[in-house]
Amino acid sequence: MALGVRLGSLLSRSLRNVLSGMSAAPGRGTASAVDPSIGLSEEQKEFQKVAFNFASKEMSPNMALWDEKEMFPVETMRRAAQLGFGGIYTRPDVGGSGLSRLDTSIIFEALATGCVSTTAYMSIHNMCVWMIDTFGNDDQRHRLCPALCSMEKFASYCLTEPGSGSDAASLLTSAKRDGDHYLLNGSKAFISGGGDTDVYLVMCRTGGGSGSRGISCLVVEKGTPGLSFGKKEKKVGWNSQPTRAVIFEDCVVPVSNRLGEEGQGFLIAMKGLNGGRINIASCSLGAAHASVLLSRDHLSVRKQFGEPLANNQYLQFRLAEMATQLVTARLIVRHAAQALQEEHRDAATLCAMAKLYATDECFKVCNQALQMHGGYGYLKDYAVQQFFRDIRVHQILEGNEVTQVQLIQAKRTGKSKHKQCALCSQPLPDTYLKKLCQSCIESTLREESSVRSEDIRSMIREELRAFRSSDKIPESRKKYNSPRSEQSSDVEDKDSDGSQEFISSEGEQDTCFPTDSIDNLVKSVRNTMGIEDTKTLKTPQDVMFAGLSERKRPSFPVIPAIKDLVKKEWESQGQRGLPSSSKRRYLFNDEDFSKWSSIHF
């Protein structure tokens, strides 16, 4: 038995060497069908080659040791950062590589063939750097990102709490503002890198709203008074990265360390997770790819009944199935990565699909690979068992399979168990009429500027006062194409303040707000918010409805938040409510009516 174990260990080292050789130039000979370089550009193939070489030389030889000793390979990751792997999709002006989401997926898949656990942490670190780069101001970007991109410092993502896992919006960690700082209290659970990393992106509740409302993102740096950590968790896999609870007890965090505005934190967290799901799925691809190669080579050298196992037809078929699972998973992950890069309207759904399918199928591949190794696969001398253990958690984190299915179902059918925010998918009350939660409405209004809602209300009041004091009747109000407008029972008149009145046959009267004034109001808001000439945002409705299909966007260029304010301010000045849909047809010409018919207050 002892001799058998020694031979098994020797065989395992031999197989690792074979894997290392294959990784540098994968897909040659019989492995061409699973070649991960198929369909890539020459530049992407170079990125991939560099990552495979680093995985085979720096990571694969140490993978078992890091797992056994639970070592956090800081120096190895810093060498990876010298190749640009510390901020792969972060902008170059702060030290990032500025690559695409697809490039990132290719690189993480290749690195994961050397060590899934270490690569998975690097993917989380990259997600955090991207969040700072994307949502931080210039001072935050230039102060934090360079050291993170070089991996001189490491980052952790803090969303999950002991009582809020899949229901992330129910988090309880709170931050109370006190002058120029926050007092942060609460705890986070299962934090990768916890205790060993330097920067923590913490989602906490700064407002009194429930659900996603009032959640903000604070950057807490190691050494901050009130910051402490729980014990190091003992895990089945992912042992090359420490996992601890992160605890905040009157932790003093400067207001200048808040990413974005108050209430924008949940949106930031969800945006980060879209990319995080692609990254984790890519790590699963790397484990599955390595397991297929290990299994193929093991079947070639292992003999039973006088011939190699590779001659067994059943095992040939199973290996073919594994290769098919790997390639199909790779295709959906890369498709989702491309959609995310292009900001496709269904990118979030595709990310959920990719994470769901790839993590499930790749785990099946690794499980079957272990089975093909027989008893040897159950020994820690063989790499296949570590791939199996390390990717099991990929089906749990970044949203488990139930969460992914709910996201997909809600987007594809337009139905869900609960109404959901169109941007962050946060459940909404059944009686809630808007498509967006209040947090997303407020955060998207602030996304392109620091305009406060009070400033918008002030502009609306001034516009309404100007309208009421005007003697000019808008041209769009003088044309009425409805046959009913010609009937003698319907009389139109102009009020002394310049507004239009409509008197129905029943004697009812409505004062209407003209489309011209609303258009002027929108232009004022656009100019004040500084989005008039932006390349990506053309109108305020594009800010509010970013990510929605054109079919779901209202045709009239007034976002719901402004429409609500218009209605409230109009009525607060003693005017009757805006005309009902049954009367709008006779107040507007056909073109104006088509605009108003899509509005629901």
Side-chain angles (χ1 to χ4, degrees), residues 541 550 552-558 594-599:
Q541 85 174 56
E550 292 295 334
K552 293 183 179 179
R553 293 189 183 190
S555 60
F556 198 70
V558 181
S594 66
K595 294 178 181 179
W596 278 92
S597 62
S598 64
I599 299 177

Side-chain angles (χ1 to χ4, degrees), residues 62-73 115-118 120-121 196 232-243 380 385-386 389-391 393:
N62 300 304
M63 181 175 75
L65 178 64
W66 294 340
D67 177 72
E68 181 182 359
K69 302 295 184 181
E70 297 185 357
M71 297 172 57
F72 193 40
C115 180
V116 173
S117 173
T118 304
Y121 170 73
D196 285 43
K232 187 176 179 180
E233 305 289 356
K234 293 290 184 180
K235 308 189 296 290
V236 172
W238 272 27
N239 289 319
S240 70
Q241 51 170 291
T243 300
K380 286 196 173 182
Q385 53 78 32
Q386 188 169 337
R389 288 187 291 110
D390 280 343
I391 73 164
V393 74

Side-chain angles (χ1 to χ4, degrees), residues 408-470:
I408 297 166
Q409 178 263 346
K411 292 289 185 179
R412 291 300 84 206
T413 65
K415 301 176 181 179
S416 61
K417 184 176 181 181
H418 302 287
K419 291 186 64 175
Q420 292 182 320
C421 172
L423 288 185
C424 71
S425 299
Q426 171 65 21
L428 299 173
D430 291 337
T431 56
Y432 197 78
L433 299 180
K434 301 173 187 175
K435 291 181 179 293
L436 306 180
C437 66
Q438 193 63 30
S439 175
C440 285
I441 290 176
E442 294 173 357
S443 63
T444 48
L445 280 173
R446 292 190 296 257
E447 195 168 270
E448 293 297 316
S449 73
S450 58
V451 176
R452 300 176 302 170
S453 59
E454 290 79 4
D455 298 327
I456 295 176
R457 288 191 180 94
S458 177
M459 285 190 293
I460 291 172
R461 292 191 188 103
E462 292 178 4
E463 185 70 25
L464 289 171
R465 290 192 186 101
F467 163 65
R468 284 183 51 74
S469 62
S470 173

Side-chain angles (χ1 to χ4, degrees), residues 520-560:
N520 292 334
L521 172 61
V522 172
K523 290 177 182 178
S524 298
V525 174
R526 287 172 59 185
N527 291 333
T528 305
M529 294 176 70
I531 60 173
E532 181 71 32
D533 298 320
T534 180
K535 295 180 180 179
T536 56
L537 302 174
K538 297 180 180 179
T539 68
Q541 85 174 56
D542 290 320
V543 179
M544 181 58 59
F545 291 95
L548 293 185
S549 65
E550 292 295 334
R551 179 176 60 82
K552 293 183 179 179
R553 293 189 183 190
S555 60
F556 198 70
V558 181
I559 56 180

Side-chain angles (χ1 to χ4, degrees), residues 583-595:
K583 297 175 184 176
R584 290 175 193 153
R585 180 176 300 277
Y586 313 112
L587 288 170
F588 298 97
N589 58 35
D590 289 347
E591 181 182 355
D592 291 335
F593 174 72
S594 66
K595 294 178 181 179

Side-chain angles (χ1 to χ4, degrees), residues 140-446:
Q140 292 167 337
R141 293 179 63 245
H142 288 91
R143 177 167 57 88
L144 297 170
C145 289
L148 293 173
C149 288
S150 67
M151 286 191 159
E152 176 187 343
K153 293 184 177 181
F154 297 91
S156 293
Y157 178 79
C158 303
L159 175 63
T160 302
E161 296 184 359
S164 62
S166 298
D167 184 14
S170 65
L171 63 85
L172 298 176
T173 298
S174 63
K176 183 177 180 181
R177 185 161 181 172
D178 184 10
D180 61 353
H181 64 271
Y182 290 98
L183 286 180
L184 184 61
N185 285 280
S187 64
K188 299 292 182 178
F190 309 124
I191 304 305
S192 294
D196 285 43
T197 51
D198 308 281
V199 176
Y200 299 86
L201 272 64
V202 182
M203 307 304 154
C204 56
R205 196 169 297 283
T206 54
S210 60
S212 64
R213 303 178 187 180
I215 294 178
S216 301
C217 179
L218 300 183
V219 176
V220 181
E221 299 178 67
K222 193 173 184 179
T224 301
L227 174 64
S228 60
F229 307 96
K231 67 178 182 63
K232 187 176 179 180
E233 305 289 356
K234 293 290 184 180
K235 308 189 296 290
V236 172
W238 272 27
N239 289 319
S240 70
Q241 51 170 291
T243 300
R244 295 184 177 91
V246 180
I247 304 166
F248 310 99
E249 297 175 299
D250 287 334
C251 186
V252 180
V253 182
V255 172
S256 59
N257 276 24
R258 185 189 65 222
L259 291 186
E261 301 292 335
E262 282 195 2
Q264 198 176 4
F266 195 78
L267 179 64
I268 293 174
M270 295 300 103
K271 292 282 189 181
L273 283 182
N274 286 335
R277 287 166 180 150
I278 295 295
N279 296 344
I280 288 298
S282 301
C283 292
S284 293
L285 291 175
H289 178 75
S291 296
V292 168
L293 298 184
L294 284 171
S295 299
R296 182 203 62 183
D297 295 336
H298 178 75
L299 296 181
S300 298
V301 300
R302 174 69 170 166
K303 291 186 177 180
Q304 287 291 288
F305 306 104
E307 61 180 352
L309 290 177
N311 293 342
N312 184 290
Q313 190 179 56
Y314 172 79
L315 294 178
Q316 291 173 356
F317 288 172
R318 294 312 301 266
L319 193 61
E321 291 173 356
M322 292 163 63
T324 302
Q325 290 170 301
L326 169 61
V327 172
T328 54
R330 180 181 292 139
L331 290 174
I332 192 173
V333 170
R334 291 184 178 179
H335 176 58
Q338 188 66 32
L340 186 60
Q341 179 66 31
E342 296 173 355
E343 299 182 353
H344 191 277
R345 64 171 179 249
D346 289 326
T349 304
L350 291 170
C351 289
M353 288 179 175
K355 198 269 182 183
L356 172 68
Y357 185 81
T359 55
D360 281 354
E361 295 304 305
C362 290
F363 179 75
K364 293 175 185 176
V365 169
C366 292
N367 186 38
Q368 182 59 40
L370 189 152
Q371 186 70 23
M372 285 181 170
H373 280 70
Y376 292 111
Y378 205 62
L379 301 178
K380 286 196 173 182
D381 295 298
Y382 285 78
V384 67
Q385 53 78 32
Q386 188 169 337
F387 288 121
F388 170 84
R389 288 187 291 110
D390 280 343
I391 73 164
R392 180 59 184 88
V393 74
H394 293 189
Q395 295 171 288
I396 301 173
L397 51 81
E398 311 284 26
N400 60 28
E401 72 278 10
V402 176
T403 301
Q404 308 309 320
V405 169
Q406 287 176 335
L407 286 173
I408 297 166
Q409 178 263 346
K411 292 289 185 179
R412 291 300 84 206
T413 65
K415 301 176 181 179
S416 61
K417 184 176 181 181
H418 302 287
K419 291 186 64 175
Q420 292 182 320
C421 172
L423 288 185
C424 71
S425 299
Q426 171 65 21
L428 299 173
D430 291 337
T431 56
Y432 197 78
L433 299 180
K434 301 173 187 175
K435 291 181 179 293
L436 306 180
C437 66
Q438 193 63 30
S439 175
C440 285
I441 290 176
E442 294 173 357
S443 63
T444 48
L445 280 173
R446 292 190 296 257

